[in-house]
Amino acid sequence: MIDSVTAVRDLAQHEGETVTLQGWLYNKRGSKSLYFLILRDGTGLAQCVVNEEQVDADSFEAASAATQESALRITGTVVADERQVGGYEVQATAVELLSLAEEYPISPKAHGVEFLMNNRHLWLRSQRQWAIMRVRNRIIQSIHAFFQEDGFIQMDPPILTGNAVEGTSTLFELDYFDEPAYLTQSGQLYGEAMALAHGKIYTFGPTFRAEKSKTRRHLTEFWMIEPEMAFYDLDMDMTLAEGLLQRVATDVLRDCADELALLERDTTALQKATEGGFPRVHYSEAVEILRSDETQQMLDAEISDLEAEQAALTTERDENRARYGQAKKGEKRRIDAREIAINGRLDEIEESLRNLPQWKESAANFEWGNDFGGSDETVLTKHFDRPIIVHRFPAAIKAFYMKRDPEDDLLALGMDVLAPEGYGEIVGGGERATDLDFLKEQIAAHSLPQEVFEWYLDLRRYGSVPHAGFGLGLERTVAWVCGLPHVRETIPFPRLLGRLNP
Ligand code: 4AD
Ligand code: MG
């Protein structure tokens, strides 16, 4: 390889100098004697101008032959040009074609989701996916910093386990040398053991759920961050979750402004999240809100707003189509792009208009004691401009390890953080039961085999103390921060019901 290669991201530091860039051809315009090559090197995009008079014949031939996603090495002078992507342009003095790409399957035209998912290994190169992965990386960094700066120890729980954590219905079972084993649903129980050894720990690893749900929030393999703290109660637990999300929102807003702009993310709600003060809503209060007239009115208003937007977009699309025939080339390109955007938005609106009447009904008829469905969470969060924390759920719908509310035995000291803008649950956690006999009863009541939990019960036999923790779902957090309609774009290679490849 060449010894001094410059990253596109660093071009600003090299104005007026000669640099060498390595990357892939993102886009190309030009003809005969002049080519404008947009080079993508993983750190950014840069326009490279190849003028026949300024390069040798081989270089010009390389520029002329290069196809989309061909690998290139380009040497040239860095010139400031604020009209260009990144604010700089490279005036090429040499172009080397490292690998000529076959006809690239992903073009700027609209592709269906299935097609893109089948080509995920290539789709990752597109600008939007690039931005999402950058934000994901920033969030990961932020989470580690938040915990490490506060004295938490990262500890990795096993992935192969002999016991369930979150109930037995969503376990992936496998054969472990003729014994049944499971892919972990959550590292929590191990986290509790580690917290009693270290005080404050967090896990950061893959977790698995064999849920047969095909929703925009469900993956079968996802990454979870699970802090667990000795001598913490539910309030302290909620405060920690709030602090973590504030930190994530602050860091992303500060360091990923370009990525968020590329994703056209309206950052109002993220901004609000940095201010903290997430409303804490008792489960019973949340039920009241769902069943209220105000909720019905809010959803009716949303339906009429969407219908108005649908009508306006349809009119615009019809007008565009009517003048397409007479339009010039540039104008046609704009209309094409707008058509894609309008169709995308119309699909979203149609889906919402299909869903909203059901959501209205589900909210109005919600019964105390039930678990919130995805739509109930969405509806509930529409009442708030920042994340909220719902706490004290009916014990009957929660896991065996939850501590009961000393004020009301029907309630468990659990909490969920619900993200605004319809995203719903991104954190689930709470205070853990500390009493040995109570836990034994709960294990039996949940039809779990006590033998495999003996080690867990030891944590109550030897120095049991109040403790609490939670699990943050990384992909749901990325989806919310980036404003994505589906978690499938939040992880490089998503695992979903019906999707194991690539
Ligand atoms: O609410 P959950 O099931 O909680 C637990 O597993 C606890 N043991 C955590 C703890 O207290 N240590 O899952 C926690 C979070 C959810 O809030 C959600 O963000 C994410 O994990 N999650 C999923 N993300 C994507 N796909 C799925 N199928 C998910 N299931 C849960
Ligand atoms: Mg949960």
Side-chain angles (χ1 to χ4, degrees):
M1 284 287 112
I2 212 128
D3 36 40
S4 82
V5 172
T6 300
V8 167
R9 172 153 292 205
D10 298 333
L11 281 181
Q13 296 155 34
H14 296 277
E15 193 179 337
E17 297 171 19
T18 296
V19 298
T20 296
L21 304 177
Q22 293 183 149
W24 298 264
L25 184 65
Y26 186 70
N27 205 349
K28 172 168 146 182
R29 286 183 297 119
S31 59
K32 283 187 221 130
S33 58
L34 189 64
Y35 284 106
F36 299 94
L37 309 180
I38 308 275
L39 195 75
R40 173 185 75 72
D41 79 339
T43 73
L45 297 178
Q47 170 157 290
C48 304
V49 184
V50 188
N51 188 328
E52 192 169 17
E53 285 168 11
Q54 280 154 25
V55 297
D56 61 27
D58 285 350
S59 289
F60 196 73
E61 175 49 31
S64 131
T67 49
Q68 187 184 354
E69 290 303 319
S70 287
L72 295 170
R73 183 179 296 132
I74 300 178
T75 299
T77 317
V78 182
V79 185
D81 184 345
E82 47 186 58
R83 292 164 309 168
Q84 299 310 329
V85 275
Y88 292 86
E89 182 176 87
V90 172
Q91 288 173 349
T93 51
V95 180
E96 202 181 328
L97 182 57
L98 305 176
S99 167
L100 182 67
E102 293 177 25
E103 193 181 338
Y104 196 60
I106 302 180
S107 63
K109 74 170 200 277
H111 291 288
V113 169
E114 276 308 295
F115 175 85
L116 290 170
M117 291 290 283
N118 289 337
N119 287 285
R120 182 65 178 163
H121 51 294
L122 301 177
W123 189 21
L124 284 170
R125 302 182 188 189
S126 76
Q127 280 295 90
R128 189 180 144 82
Q129 301 308 314
W130 177 86
I132 296 168
M133 289 306 132
R134 296 254 150 179
V135 174
R136 179 184 168 105
N137 176 65
R138 187 66 192 86
I139 292 175
I140 292 171
Q141 202 187 347
S142 204
I143 292 169
H144 281 298
F146 176 82
F147 287 122
Q148 294 287 341
E149 288 165 16
D150 199 14
F152 282 70
I153 304 292
Q154 188 199 341
M155 294 184 80
D156 305 314
I159 290 169
L160 293 172
T161 66
N163 55 262
V165 184
E166 296 296 318
T168 50
S169 63
T170 65
L171 289 169
F172 279 111
E173 191 175 334
L174 40 95
D175 173 32
Y176 191 75
F177 308 113
D178 298 330
E179 265 189 68
Y182 310 99
L183 292 177
T184 187
Q185 296 163 309
S186 156
Q188 179 195 320
L189 305 189
Y190 299 97
E192 290 182 48
M194 299 185 290
L196 299 196
H198 288 265
K200 297 194 291 187
I201 65 94
Y202 70 107
T203 71
F204 199 133
T207 46
F208 305 85
R209 304 272 168 106
E211 275 154 315
K212 291 229 161 91
S213 14
K214 247 187 171 164
T215 78
R216 58 201 182 89
R217 300 174 185 186
H218 286 91
L219 292 161
T220 53
E221 175 182 288
F222 63 98
W223 287 67
M224 187 149 55
I225 296 91
E226 295 184 271
E228 190 70 33
M229 301 74 64
F231 303 105
Y232 261 53
D233 64 13
L234 178 65
D235 275 337
M236 295 161 83
D237 197 37
M238 291 196 275
T239 302
L240 188 78
E242 178 178 309
L244 174 62
L245 288 166
Q246 265 178 276
R247 171 68 181 262
V248 165
T250 305
D251 289 349
V252 171
L253 282 171
R254 188 189 54 238
D255 297 337
C256 298
D258 291 349
E259 288 84 350
L260 294 177
L262 214 151
L263 295 167
E264 298 176 347
R265 177 71 170 124
D266 171 353
T267 57
T268 316
L270 287 179
Q271 213 79 50
K272 291 283 180 196
T274 66
E275 294 164 13
F278 299 174
R280 295 186 183 182
V281 185
H282 191 288
Y283 169 84
S284 300
E285 193 189 329
V287 174
E288 291 298 307
I289 296 175
L290 272 180
R291 296 168 60 105
S292 67
D293 292 342
E294 207 191 326
T295 291
Q296 295 294 306
Q297 286 152 13
M298 182 184 75
L299 296 175
D300 283 335
E302 190 172 336
I303 291 174
S304 28
D305 287 352
L306 286 171
E307 284 168 347
E309 190 185 345
Q310 188 181 41
L313 287 172
T314 311
T315 309
E316 184 189 340
R317 191 177 60 180
D318 291 346
E319 285 167 6
N320 284 345
R321 285 177 181 172
R323 68 191 163 88
Y324 194 83
Q326 286 81 44
K328 294 226 173 69
K329 208 168 153 209
E331 180 66 4
K332 277 202 168 104
R333 252 207 311 271
R334 266 193 300 278
I335 294 178
D336 286 340
R338 187 66 192 138
E339 172 96 14
I340 292 172
I342 291 178
N343 288 342
R345 179 63 190 146
L346 283 174
D347 285 349
E348 280 171 24
I349 294 176
E350 247 166 57
E351 196 192 334
S352 298
L353 289 176
R354 262 198 311 276
N355 288 334
L356 278 161
Q358 292 163 28
W359 295 5
K360 271 180 64 180
E361 195 175 313
S362 165
N365 301 320
F366 192 89
E367 276 177 44
W368 195 101
N370 289 345
D371 205 355
F372 299 125
S375 76
D376 302 313
E377 287 177 0
T378 300
V379 170
L380 184 60
T381 56
K382 284 179 191 285
H383 288 274
F384 300 89
D385 65 354
R386 65 194 73 199
I388 64 170
I389 310 183
V390 179
H391 57 88
R392 293 180 169 78
F393 290 85
I397 55 167
K398 287 291 175 186
F400 78 94
Y401 53 70
M402 293 248 177
K403 189 180 174 78
R404 290 295 166 89
D405 184 354
E407 320 244 297
D408 183 346
D409 198 52
L410 283 179
L411 299 176
L413 294 180
M415 63 99 173
D416 279 0
V417 179
L418 308 185
E421 303 167 280
Y423 282 88
E425 182 190 340
I426 53 174
V427 166
E431 196 174 329
R432 320 304 188 191
T434 48
D435 184 78
L436 179 62
D437 292 329
F438 173 79
L439 269 175
K440 283 184 187 167
E441 271 167 44
Q442 289 305 307
I443 287 171
H446 283 80
S447 314
L448 296 166
Q450 191 180 310
E451 322 82 75
V452 295
F453 290 98
E454 281 302 332
W455 70 267
Y456 182 69
L457 294 171
D458 272 355
L459 307 178
R460 275 65 180 177
R461 293 187 180 105
Y462 306 106
S464 185
V465 295
H467 62 289
F470 60 82
L472 170 76
L474 180 61
E475 288 72 23
R476 289 197 191 169
T477 305
V478 174
W480 171 56
V481 169
C482 293
L484 309 176
H486 198 293
V487 288
R488 64 181 159 237
E489 290 177 79
T490 62
I491 183 164
F493 293 95
R495 296 292 173 246
L496 304 152
L497 188 61
R499 166 77 49 196
L500 199 53
N501 281 301

